[in-house]
Amino acid sequence: YPPIDTYDEPIQFCLIILGLLSIYKGNWLGYFIFFSLSLITRESGIILIPGLMLALTNSKNKLNLKSHLIKDNLLKYFYLSVPVFIYFLFINICYSENNISNHSESNFLDRFVLYNFNTQSQKYAFESLISLFLVLGFPLYLIFNGIQKDKIYLPKYHKYVSSFLLTVIINSIIVLFLTQAREARLYVIPMFFIWPIFSSIFIDDLKLLVSIKQYISTFTNLNYLCFFII
């Protein structure tokens, strides 16, 4: 694998977490500040916006009036989009002040040939898929095949799981077509929706990973033993 420059991602992740905590506490000003700074640090956080809209969409309100419900959701969508406007305003000012618009357009167009780069050979295509599997394989497996997979349909978890899956689809398409997909770090963004509830949903599955009794039972099973020998 080639060297990967990731010096700015810890800063981006910290700012995203601070922005999400601000939403949780109802502090929209804090969200505007922290999430805008995270986008300026690295713009990939924009991919979280559709998932946030899905997670914060209300299906009912206290007044039970459709007009109030629509107004409430639209207001939230607008608030969630504010950092995107701030980011593009910042980029526009930087480009105009430094006269780098032509160069940036060239870089943007160059990204559309990266799908050919990711699939130029069997080796590159395999590495791209392995990178996706290393980051998302385990949580996706648990969502669809976990011991307590029915938990994901509980209202308090379902919206976050749905946001996670939506962001996985959007992010994976962008990574495969517009970036060098061999870099596993590029698939991490959707995990922001699943990390806060991961142990709550999958605690029984996680217990199996540290169960010595389960490992002994598995490796003494003739069917599993034959599989590993083959």
Side-chain angles (χ1 to χ4, degrees), residues 172-210:
S172 298
I173 293 173
I174 291 174
V175 170
L176 290 170
F177 282 89
L178 300 179
T179 68
Q180 294 187 18
R182 301 163 71 201
E183 301 180 19
R185 65 187 177 88
L186 299 174
Y187 295 99
V188 172
I189 287 291
M191 296 296 293
F192 280 101
F193 290 110
I194 209 72
W195 278 330
I197 61 172
F198 196 87
S199 60
S200 299
I201 300 178
F202 306 123
I203 185 63
D204 292 328
D205 299 276
L206 297 175
K207 286 179 180 178
L208 292 178
L209 295 177
V210 295

Side-chain angles (χ1 to χ4, degrees), residues 26-216:
N27 180 6
W28 285 107
L29 179 60
Y31 166 74
F32 297 157
I33 295 171
F34 292 123
F35 209 83
S36 297
L37 289 174
S38 77
L39 296 184
I40 292 171
T41 304
R42 185 178 283 268
E43 71 277 3
S44 58
I46 291 177
I47 296 170
L48 290 170
I49 299 296
L52 287 172
M53 289 180 174
L54 180 61
L56 295 179
T57 296
N58 287 334
S59 57
K60 58 182 179 180
N61 57 25
K62 295 180 180 179
L63 297 176
N64 199 28
L65 296 175
K66 188 174 182 180
S67 59
H68 285 265
L69 182 63
I70 294 173
K71 183 179 179 179
D72 181 54
N73 286 331
L74 289 178
L75 186 61
K76 287 181 179 178
Y77 298 160
F78 173 74
Y79 286 161
L80 289 171
S81 302
V82 167
V84 180
F85 297 130
I86 295 174
Y87 164 73
F88 281 111
L89 178 62
F90 173 83
I91 292 297
N92 185 61
I93 293 173
C94 287
Y95 283 0
S96 60
E97 289 294 325
N98 296 282
N99 195 26
I100 57 176
S101 59
N102 292 333
H103 181 65
S104 64
E105 290 175 5
S106 175
N107 288 340
F108 178 75
L109 294 175
D110 288 342
R111 285 182 174 269
F112 285 94
V113 302
L114 287 174
Y115 177 75
N116 293 330
F117 173 85
N118 294 329
T119 58
Q120 63 182 285
S121 67
Q122 187 177 28
K123 174 178 178 293
Y124 275 71
F126 181 73
E127 288 178 352
S128 298
L129 292 176
I130 286 296
S131 296
L132 186 152
F133 175 78
L134 287 174
V135 178
L136 300 173
F138 185 56
L140 286 174
Y141 171 80
L142 292 181
I143 286 174
F144 294 108
N145 294 285
I147 295 174
Q148 298 290 334
K149 63 181 181 181
D150 290 340
K151 277 188 177 181
I152 68 174
Y153 296 106
L154 296 176
K156 61 180 179 179
Y157 299 134
H158 184 65
K159 59 183 179 180
Y160 296 110
V161 174
S162 298
S163 296
F164 168 72
L165 294 175
L166 173 64
T167 310
V168 165
I169 293 172
I170 296 172
N171 186 62
S172 298
I173 293 173
I174 291 174
V175 170
L176 290 170
F177 282 89
L178 300 179
T179 68
Q180 294 187 18
R182 301 163 71 201
E183 301 180 19
R185 65 187 177 88
L186 299 174
Y187 295 99
V188 172
I189 287 291
M191 296 296 293
F192 280 101
F193 290 110
I194 209 72
W195 278 330
I197 61 172
F198 196 87
S199 60
S200 299
I201 300 178
F202 306 123
I203 185 63
D204 292 328
D205 299 276
L206 297 175
K207 286 179 180 178
L208 292 178
L209 295 177
V210 295
S211 172
I212 297 177
K213 181 179 179 180
Q214 187 64 35
Y215 282 112
I216 294 174

